[in-house]
mmCIF file of all heavy atoms in Angstrom:
data_model
loop_
_atom_site.group_PDB
_atom_site.id
_atom_site.type_symbol
_atom_site.label_atom_id
_atom_site.label_comp_id
_atom_site.label_asym_id
_atom_site.label_seq_id
_atom_site.Cartn_x
_atom_site.Cartn_y
_atom_site.Cartn_z
ATOM 1 N N GLY K 1 12.389 -3.530 17.785
ATOM 2 C CA GLY K 1 12.984 -2.813 18.911
ATOM 3 C C GLY K 1 13.089 -1.330 18.633
ATOM 4 O O GLY K 1 12.106 -0.586 18.677
ATOM 5 N N ALA K 2 14.309 -0.891 18.309
ATOM 6 C CA ALA K 2 14.557 0.539 18.078
ATOM 7 C C ALA K 2 13.731 1.081 16.925
ATOM 8 O O ALA K 2 13.382 2.271 16.899
ATOM 9 C CB ALA K 2 16.042 0.765 17.808
ATOM 10 N N GLY K 3 13.393 0.223 15.976
ATOM 11 C CA GLY K 3 12.634 0.671 14.820
ATOM 12 C C GLY K 3 11.210 1.102 15.131
ATOM 13 O O GLY K 3 10.545 1.719 14.295
ATOM 14 N N ARG K 4 10.732 0.804 16.316
ATOM 15 C CA ARG K 4 9.380 1.224 16.692
ATOM 16 C C ARG K 4 9.239 2.739 16.681
ATOM 17 O O ARG K 4 8.159 3.279 16.459
ATOM 18 C CB ARG K 4 9.013 0.680 18.073
ATOM 19 C CG ARG K 4 8.684 -0.797 18.080
ATOM 20 C CD ARG K 4 8.173 -1.249 19.435
ATOM 21 N NE ARG K 4 7.737 -2.631 19.391
ATOM 22 C CZ ARG K 4 6.533 -3.029 19.014
ATOM 23 N NH1 ARG K 4 5.641 -2.132 18.617
ATOM 24 N NH2 ARG K 4 6.207 -4.299 19.015
ATOM 25 N N SER K 5 10.342 3.436 16.972
ATOM 26 C CA SER K 5 10.301 4.900 17.002
ATOM 27 C C SER K 5 10.760 5.530 15.691
ATOM 28 O O SER K 5 10.838 6.755 15.586
ATOM 29 C CB SER K 5 11.183 5.418 18.146
ATOM 30 O OG SER K 5 12.529 5.025 17.939
ATOM 31 N N ALA K 6 11.057 4.706 14.689
ATOM 32 C CA ALA K 6 11.566 5.234 13.418
ATOM 33 C C ALA K 6 10.476 5.970 12.656
ATOM 34 O O ALA K 6 9.340 5.507 12.556
ATOM 35 C CB ALA K 6 12.117 4.100 12.564
ATOM 36 N N GLN K 7 10.832 7.123 12.117
ATOM 37 C CA GLN K 7 9.949 7.830 11.203
ATOM 38 C C GLN K 7 10.141 7.247 9.807
ATOM 39 O O GLN K 7 11.266 6.956 9.406
ATOM 40 C CB GLN K 7 10.286 9.323 11.190
ATOM 41 C CG GLN K 7 10.031 10.017 12.516
ATOM 42 C CD GLN K 7 8.560 9.957 12.910
ATOM 43 O OE1 GLN K 7 7.683 10.323 12.127
ATOM 44 N NE2 GLN K 7 8.292 9.481 14.121
ATOM 45 N N PRO K 8 9.063 7.051 9.038
ATOM 46 C CA PRO K 8 9.195 6.388 7.741
ATOM 47 C C PRO K 8 10.044 7.192 6.775
ATOM 48 O O PRO K 8 10.030 8.426 6.777
ATOM 49 C CB PRO K 8 7.755 6.272 7.248
ATOM 50 C CG PRO K 8 6.987 7.291 8.017
ATOM 51 C CD PRO K 8 7.660 7.406 9.343
ATOM 52 N N VAL K 9 10.792 6.468 5.949
ATOM 53 C CA VAL K 9 11.590 7.093 4.884
ATOM 54 C C VAL K 9 10.934 6.896 3.527
ATOM 55 O O VAL K 9 11.459 7.329 2.505
ATOM 56 C CB VAL K 9 13.025 6.525 4.874
ATOM 57 C CG1 VAL K 9 13.739 6.866 6.166
ATOM 58 C CG2 VAL K 9 13.025 5.009 4.627
ATOM 59 N N GLY K 10 9.810 6.215 3.503
ATOM 60 C CA GLY K 10 9.093 5.962 2.264
ATOM 61 C C GLY K 10 7.872 5.116 2.553
ATOM 62 O O GLY K 10 7.559 4.844 3.718
ATOM 63 N N MET K 11 7.185 4.697 1.502
ATOM 64 C CA MET K 11 5.968 3.907 1.646
ATOM 65 C C MET K 11 5.943 2.778 0.620
ATOM 66 O O MET K 11 6.464 2.921 -0.489
ATOM 67 C CB MET K 11 4.730 4.778 1.427
ATOM 68 C CG MET K 11 4.490 5.847 2.470
ATOM 69 S SD MET K 11 4.024 5.184 4.090
ATOM 70 C CE MET K 11 2.475 4.379 3.728
ATOM 71 N N LEU K 12 5.324 1.676 0.993
ATOM 72 C CA LEU K 12 4.955 0.656 0.023
ATOM 73 C C LEU K 12 3.664 1.127 -0.630
ATOM 74 O O LEU K 12 2.640 1.269 0.036
ATOM 75 C CB LEU K 12 4.741 -0.698 0.708
ATOM 76 C CG LEU K 12 5.936 -1.293 1.448
ATOM 77 C CD1 LEU K 12 5.533 -2.610 2.115
ATOM 78 C CD2 LEU K 12 7.115 -1.508 0.504
ATOM 79 N N VAL K 13 3.720 1.409 -1.922
ATOM 80 C CA VAL K 13 2.559 1.989 -2.599
ATOM 81 C C VAL K 13 1.432 0.972 -2.678
ATOM 82 O O VAL K 13 1.651 -0.237 -2.652
ATOM 83 C CB VAL K 13 2.925 2.501 -4.000
ATOM 84 C CG1 VAL K 13 3.925 3.635 -3.913
ATOM 85 C CG2 VAL K 13 3.462 1.364 -4.872
ATOM 86 N N GLU K 14 0.224 1.499 -2.785
ATOM 87 C CA GLU K 14 -0.946 0.638 -2.919
ATOM 88 C C GLU K 14 -1.098 0.192 -4.370
ATOM 89 O O GLU K 14 -0.710 0.917 -5.295
ATOM 90 C CB GLU K 14 -2.201 1.388 -2.473
ATOM 91 C CG GLU K 14 -2.108 1.983 -1.082
ATOM 92 C CD GLU K 14 -1.869 0.952 -0.005
ATOM 93 O OE1 GLU K 14 -2.080 -0.256 -0.277
ATOM 94 O OE2 GLU K 14 -1.474 1.331 1.099
ATOM 95 N N PRO K 15 -1.668 -0.975 -4.601
ATOM 96 C CA PRO K 15 -1.848 -1.442 -5.977
ATOM 97 C C PRO K 15 -2.916 -0.669 -6.705
ATOM 98 O O PRO K 15 -3.740 0.016 -6.094
ATOM 99 C CB PRO K 15 -2.259 -2.912 -5.792
ATOM 100 C CG PRO K 15 -2.887 -2.952 -4.436
ATOM 101 C CD PRO K 15 -2.124 -1.954 -3.607
ATOM 102 N N GLY K 16 -2.899 -0.745 -8.033
ATOM 103 C CA GLY K 16 -3.965 -0.175 -8.826
ATOM 104 C C GLY K 16 -3.634 1.179 -9.395
ATOM 105 O O GLY K 16 -2.511 1.451 -9.801
ATOM 106 N N GLY K 17 -4.615 2.085 -9.367
ATOM 107 C CA GLY K 17 -4.512 3.327 -10.110
ATOM 108 C C GLY K 17 -3.789 4.449 -9.433
ATOM 109 O O GLY K 17 -3.592 5.498 -10.025
ATOM 110 N N THR K 18 -3.386 4.287 -8.149
ATOM 111 C CA THR K 18 -2.694 5.368 -7.473
ATOM 112 C C THR K 18 -1.337 5.604 -8.105
ATOM 113 O O THR K 18 -0.595 4.670 -8.351
ATOM 114 C CB THR K 18 -2.505 5.037 -5.983
ATOM 115 O OG1 THR K 18 -3.778 4.805 -5.399
ATOM 116 C CG2 THR K 18 -1.823 6.171 -5.244
ATOM 117 N N ASN K 19 -0.971 6.843 -8.351
ATOM 118 C CA ASN K 19 0.341 7.166 -8.913
ATOM 119 C C ASN K 19 1.430 6.734 -7.949
ATOM 120 O O ASN K 19 1.474 7.176 -6.819
ATOM 121 C CB ASN K 19 0.425 8.678 -9.172
ATOM 122 C CG ASN K 19 1.671 9.055 -9.938
ATOM 123 O OD1 ASN K 19 2.743 8.511 -9.716
ATOM 124 N ND2 ASN K 19 1.529 9.993 -10.854
ATOM 125 N N GLY K 20 2.322 5.839 -8.406
ATOM 126 C CA GLY K 20 3.331 5.272 -7.528
ATOM 127 C C GLY K 20 4.304 6.288 -6.991
ATOM 128 O O GLY K 20 4.934 6.055 -5.967
ATOM 129 N N SER K 21 4.496 7.438 -7.662
ATOM 130 C CA SER K 21 5.448 8.419 -7.172
ATOM 131 C C SER K 21 4.870 9.259 -6.038
ATOM 132 O O SER K 21 5.570 10.003 -5.391
ATOM 133 C CB SER K 21 5.889 9.341 -8.319
ATOM 134 O OG SER K 21 4.785 10.067 -8.811
ATOM 135 N N ARG K 22 3.552 9.172 -5.830
ATOM 136 C CA ARG K 22 2.916 9.899 -4.739
ATOM 137 C C ARG K 22 2.045 8.921 -3.967
ATOM 138 O O ARG K 22 0.823 8.928 -4.074
ATOM 139 C CB ARG K 22 2.086 11.063 -5.285
ATOM 140 C CG ARG K 22 2.926 12.157 -5.900
ATOM 141 C CD ARG K 22 2.098 13.283 -6.453
ATOM 142 N NE ARG K 22 1.383 12.862 -7.659
ATOM 143 C CZ ARG K 22 0.080 13.095 -7.853
ATOM 144 N NH1 ARG K 22 -0.618 13.708 -6.950
ATOM 145 N NH2 ARG K 22 -0.495 12.697 -8.965
ATOM 146 N N PRO K 23 2.651 8.023 -3.171
ATOM 147 C CA PRO K 23 1.897 6.943 -2.544
ATOM 148 C C PRO K 23 0.956 7.444 -1.462
ATOM 149 O O PRO K 23 1.190 8.457 -0.830
ATOM 150 C CB PRO K 23 3.003 6.072 -1.923
ATOM 151 C CG PRO K 23 4.116 7.025 -1.677
ATOM 152 C CD PRO K 23 4.066 8.013 -2.808
ATOM 153 N N THR K 24 -0.115 6.692 -1.241
ATOM 154 C CA THR K 24 -0.982 6.987 -0.127
ATOM 155 C C THR K 24 -0.296 6.591 1.159
ATOM 156 O O THR K 24 0.594 5.747 1.178
ATOM 157 C CB THR K 24 -2.301 6.207 -0.251
ATOM 158 O OG1 THR K 24 -1.999 4.801 -0.287
ATOM 159 C CG2 THR K 24 -3.046 6.576 -1.523
ATOM 160 N N VAL K 25 -0.728 7.178 2.283
ATOM 161 C CA VAL K 25 -0.062 6.902 3.548
ATOM 162 C C VAL K 25 -0.971 6.148 4.512
ATOM 163 O O VAL K 25 -0.555 5.794 5.597
ATOM 164 C CB VAL K 25 0.409 8.214 4.215
ATOM 165 C CG1 VAL K 25 1.480 8.873 3.388
ATOM 166 C CG2 VAL K 25 -0.757 9.180 4.433
ATOM 167 N N SER K 26 -2.213 5.914 4.137
ATOM 168 C CA SER K 26 -3.129 5.222 5.035
ATOM 169 C C SER K 26 -2.922 3.723 4.951
ATOM 170 O O SER K 26 -2.512 3.196 3.923
ATOM 171 C CB SER K 26 -4.575 5.563 4.664
ATOM 172 O OG SER K 26 -4.838 5.209 3.323
ATOM 173 N N PRO K 27 -3.211 2.976 6.052
ATOM 174 C CA PRO K 27 -3.086 1.512 6.010
ATOM 175 C C PRO K 27 -4.040 0.917 4.982
ATOM 176 O O PRO K 27 -5.067 1.502 4.643
ATOM 177 C CB PRO K 27 -3.473 1.091 7.439
ATOM 178 C CG PRO K 27 -3.320 2.322 8.262
ATOM 179 C CD PRO K 27 -3.607 3.480 7.354
ATOM 180 N N VAL K 28 -3.685 -0.273 4.497
ATOM 181 C CA VAL K 28 -4.533 -0.963 3.524
ATOM 182 C C VAL K 28 -5.608 -1.733 4.268
ATOM 183 O O VAL K 28 -5.293 -2.569 5.114
ATOM 184 C CB VAL K 28 -3.703 -1.964 2.697
ATOM 185 C CG1 VAL K 28 -4.543 -2.540 1.579
ATOM 186 C CG2 VAL K 28 -2.469 -1.291 2.147
ATOM 187 N N PRO K 29 -6.894 -1.482 4.012
ATOM 188 C CA PRO K 29 -7.939 -2.293 4.638
ATOM 189 C C PRO K 29 -7.772 -3.750 4.260
ATOM 190 O O PRO K 29 -7.382 -4.071 3.149
ATOM 191 C CB PRO K 29 -9.243 -1.709 4.058
ATOM 192 C CG PRO K 29 -8.876 -0.343 3.561
ATOM 193 C CD PRO K 29 -7.436 -0.444 3.139
ATOM 194 N N GLU K 30 -8.110 -4.646 5.193
ATOM 195 C CA GLU K 30 -7.918 -6.072 4.946
ATOM 196 C C GLU K 30 -8.670 -6.528 3.696
ATOM 197 O O GLU K 30 -8.191 -7.330 2.935
ATOM 198 C CB GLU K 30 -8.379 -6.888 6.161
ATOM 199 C CG GLU K 30 -7.407 -6.810 7.324
ATOM 200 C CD GLU K 30 -6.043 -7.362 6.949
ATOM 201 O OE1 GLU K 30 -5.978 -8.398 6.269
ATOM 202 O OE2 GLU K 30 -5.042 -6.757 7.343
ATOM 203 N N GLY K 31 -9.890 -6.011 3.500
ATOM 204 C CA GLY K 31 -10.661 -6.421 2.337
ATOM 205 C C GLY K 31 -9.986 -6.049 1.040
ATOM 206 O O GLY K 31 -10.003 -6.785 0.069
ATOM 207 N N ARG K 32 -9.325 -4.878 1.026
ATOM 208 C CA ARG K 32 -8.652 -4.435 -0.187
ATOM 209 C C ARG K 32 -7.425 -5.286 -0.461
ATOM 210 O O ARG K 32 -7.106 -5.595 -1.586
ATOM 211 C CB ARG K 32 -8.257 -2.965 -0.049
ATOM 212 C CG ARG K 32 -7.612 -2.403 -1.299
ATOM 213 C CD ARG K 32 -7.397 -0.925 -1.151
ATOM 214 N NE ARG K 32 -6.672 -0.390 -2.292
ATOM 215 C CZ ARG K 32 -6.218 0.852 -2.350
ATOM 216 N NH1 ARG K 32 -6.435 1.681 -1.363
ATOM 217 N NH2 ARG K 32 -5.560 1.275 -3.408
ATOM 218 N N GLN K 33 -6.718 -5.675 0.614
ATOM 219 C CA GLN K 33 -5.551 -6.544 0.436
ATOM 220 C C GLN K 33 -5.968 -7.872 -0.166
ATOM 221 O O GLN K 33 -5.342 -8.377 -1.081
ATOM 222 C CB GLN K 33 -4.848 -6.779 1.765
ATOM 223 C CG GLN K 33 -4.072 -5.576 2.261
ATOM 224 C CD GLN K 33 -3.344 -5.881 3.543
ATOM 225 O OE1 GLN K 33 -3.490 -6.950 4.109
ATOM 226 N NE2 GLN K 33 -2.567 -4.938 4.010
ATOM 227 N N ALA K 34 -7.041 -8.451 0.376
ATOM 228 C CA ALA K 34 -7.486 -9.744 -0.133
ATOM 229 C C ALA K 34 -7.933 -9.623 -1.583
ATOM 230 O O ALA K 34 -7.664 -10.478 -2.407
ATOM 231 C CB ALA K 34 -8.627 -10.274 0.735
ATOM 232 N N HIS K 35 -8.620 -8.500 -1.914
ATOM 233 C CA HIS K 35 -9.064 -8.308 -3.300
ATOM 234 C C HIS K 35 -7.874 -8.179 -4.236
ATOM 235 O O HIS K 35 -7.837 -8.777 -5.297
ATOM 236 C CB HIS K 35 -9.929 -7.055 -3.380
ATOM 237 C CG HIS K 35 -10.312 -6.702 -4.787
ATOM 238 N ND1 HIS K 35 -11.263 -7.396 -5.478
ATOM 239 C CD2 HIS K 35 -9.841 -5.749 -5.633
ATOM 240 C CE1 HIS K 35 -11.391 -6.887 -6.688
ATOM 241 N NE2 HIS K 35 -10.538 -5.880 -6.810
ATOM 242 N N ALA K 36 -6.850 -7.431 -3.795
ATOM 243 C CA ALA K 36 -5.668 -7.252 -4.638
ATOM 244 C C ALA K 36 -4.980 -8.574 -4.889
ATOM 245 O O ALA K 36 -4.467 -8.825 -5.967
ATOM 246 C CB ALA K 36 -4.701 -6.265 -3.996
ATOM 247 N N ALA K 37 -4.989 -9.452 -3.885
ATOM 248 C CA ALA K 37 -4.286 -10.720 -4.027
ATOM 249 C C ALA K 37 -5.019 -11.677 -4.950
ATOM 250 O O ALA K 37 -4.425 -12.585 -5.485
ATOM 251 C CB ALA K 37 -4.094 -11.366 -2.652
ATOM 252 N N THR K 38 -6.345 -11.475 -5.103
ATOM 253 C CA THR K 38 -7.100 -12.420 -5.905
ATOM 254 C C THR K 38 -7.531 -11.844 -7.241
ATOM 255 O O THR K 38 -8.176 -12.515 -8.019
ATOM 256 C CB THR K 38 -8.361 -12.870 -5.141
ATOM 257 O OG1 THR K 38 -9.126 -11.710 -4.783
ATOM 258 C CG2 THR K 38 -7.988 -13.627 -3.888
ATOM 259 N N THR K 39 -7.163 -10.589 -7.517
ATOM 260 C CA THR K 39 -7.526 -9.989 -8.793
ATOM 261 C C THR K 39 -6.532 -10.399 -9.859
ATOM 262 O O THR K 39 -5.358 -10.085 -9.759
ATOM 263 C CB THR K 39 -7.552 -8.456 -8.681
ATOM 264 O OG1 THR K 39 -8.488 -8.088 -7.680
ATOM 265 C CG2 THR K 39 -7.950 -7.829 -10.008
ATOM 266 N N PRO K 40 -6.958 -11.121 -10.888
ATOM 267 C CA PRO K 40 -5.996 -11.546 -11.910
ATOM 268 C C PRO K 40 -5.526 -10.367 -12.724
ATOM 269 O O PRO K 40 -6.297 -9.447 -12.998
ATOM 270 C CB PRO K 40 -6.805 -12.523 -12.780
ATOM 271 C CG PRO K 40 -8.226 -12.118 -12.573
ATOM 272 C CD PRO K 40 -8.322 -11.564 -11.182
ATOM 273 N N PRO K 41 -4.250 -10.355 -13.118
ATOM 274 C CA PRO K 41 -3.718 -9.243 -13.889
ATOM 275 C C PRO K 41 -4.146 -9.289 -15.337
ATOM 276 O O PRO K 41 -4.543 -10.314 -15.856
ATOM 277 C CB PRO K 41 -2.206 -9.437 -13.767
ATOM 278 C CG PRO K 41 -2.056 -10.912 -13.623
ATOM 279 C CD PRO K 41 -3.269 -11.378 -12.845
ATOM 280 N N GLY K 42 -4.020 -8.143 -15.996
ATOM 281 C CA GLY K 42 -4.262 -8.087 -17.425
ATOM 282 C C GLY K 42 -3.017 -8.465 -18.181
ATOM 283 O O GLY K 42 -2.015 -8.875 -17.606
ATOM 284 N N PRO K 43 -3.009 -8.309 -19.499
ATOM 285 C CA PRO K 43 -1.862 -8.718 -20.309
ATOM 286 C C PRO K 43 -0.632 -7.878 -20.044
ATOM 287 O O PRO K 43 -0.712 -6.747 -19.608
ATOM 288 C CB PRO K 43 -2.365 -8.509 -21.745
ATOM 289 C CG PRO K 43 -3.845 -8.482 -21.641
ATOM 290 C CD PRO K 43 -4.152 -7.913 -20.294
#
């Protein structure tokens, strides 16, 4: 409802090498989301 007009106060950072303190602001492409979900983590 009212939140449709809300200006963002922050971002959910993208996974991987992007510095978390300076997040990207573009939407995550669907292919990248699926890849992130299926990429096994390291130690």
Side-chain angles (χ1 to χ4, degrees):
R4 285 187 174 275
S5 61
Q7 295 298 308
V9 296
M11 293 291 297
L12 299 178
V13 296
E14 306 300 344
T18 302
N19 188 321
S21 63
R22 292 179 289 132
T24 59
V25 294
S26 58
V28 187
E30 285 299 318
R32 183 173 175 188
Q33 287 183 355
H35 174 75
T38 56
T39 301

